[in-house]
Amino acid sequence: RSSYSCCYFVLPCCFFDFHGKYRRRQSKKTQYREYLDFVAQVGFVCGFHVEEDCLRIPSTKRVSFIGKSRTYPAAERALIDKQITQFINSRRTCAVATCDRRVGFNHKDHCGGLCKEAGSEPPEDETETAGTVWMPGFQPREKVEQIRNCASLPRDFVDEVVLNVANLLLNAAPQKSCSDKQGGNTNTWNQGESLSLREVAEHLNKETLKKLKSEYGGLQTLLKNNHQVFEVLNGKVHIRDWRKEKPPSKTKPEVKRHLSAEAFKTRLCWFFVHHPDGCSLPSEACPYAHGTEELR
């Protein structure tokens, strides 16, 4: 709708309509194919010759649509714009109707135009023209999307939370100790207790929790990011015992093997520095540095 000379390219992915999730209407087609037909329909309604192409990308969703030319002369732009407005309003009305099972509504064929609530017309504030707002109430994402996966949190703050949670698990009773059976060593290494995320959160102060709640996934994401120290499984947190980790697969891709080798001993071992029993692995087997002299 921006201009007659506008062209477009779209790569459909997530199943969304104009005002929410796209609702399936044809069981004979796959969900993906039905959604592709809907996106193509939008192009046709907007007066484009819609072309379909398949991209050479490593994705299961690689069908794209291109609109390079119009099906109508420039003089008919106002008429087509009115048609587009009606189409948008019809999709909104349909979305409202499907949310309320008590309201009956009639569906025409998916390329047949409008979908209306039985016996109702779109409200006056929804009848738009070319010079007004195209879609009232639509809220686009910010131009710059904030990173909220705990990666941008201050390092000092993250280190403090990691240390607090680790001490909580280590001091929880009863303590779990794991002996090194492989080396024949009877010395035990304190693995601490396993606690739920809720129990861990209850021991953190309000300021810490407030900071974590502004991040996607909160406490769980922060703990998973620090996978050297913690393992989070089924809502339970426990300290990772590296002796139980599976050895690197020989079938591991060359690129991943190379990256693992590059990262070897480039960071200090958290257990060597903070755990009361030190690291559960000997220096030569631990992928992290036992002391600054081992750092690469």
Side-chain angles (χ1 to χ4, degrees), residues 2-19:
S2 56
S3 73
Y4 183 78
S5 60
C6 170
C7 301
Y8 79 86
F9 164 88
V10 61
L11 180 63
C13 182
C14 302
F15 307 120
F16 279 91
D17 207 324
F18 293 116
H19 302 92

Side-chain angles (χ1 to χ4, degrees), residues 270-287:
W270 185 92
F271 296 102
F272 179 81
V273 177
H274 297 287
H275 196 284
D277 297 333
C279 183
S280 62
L281 294 175
S283 174
E284 59 274 13
C286 182

Side-chain angles (χ1 to χ4, degrees), residues 182 231 240-249 252:
Q182 292 178 345
E231 191 170 13
R240 188 182 293 274
D241 185 352
W242 281 88
R243 292 172 299 179
K244 296 179 181 179
E245 296 298 311
K246 292 180 181 179
S249 173
K252 204 173 185 181

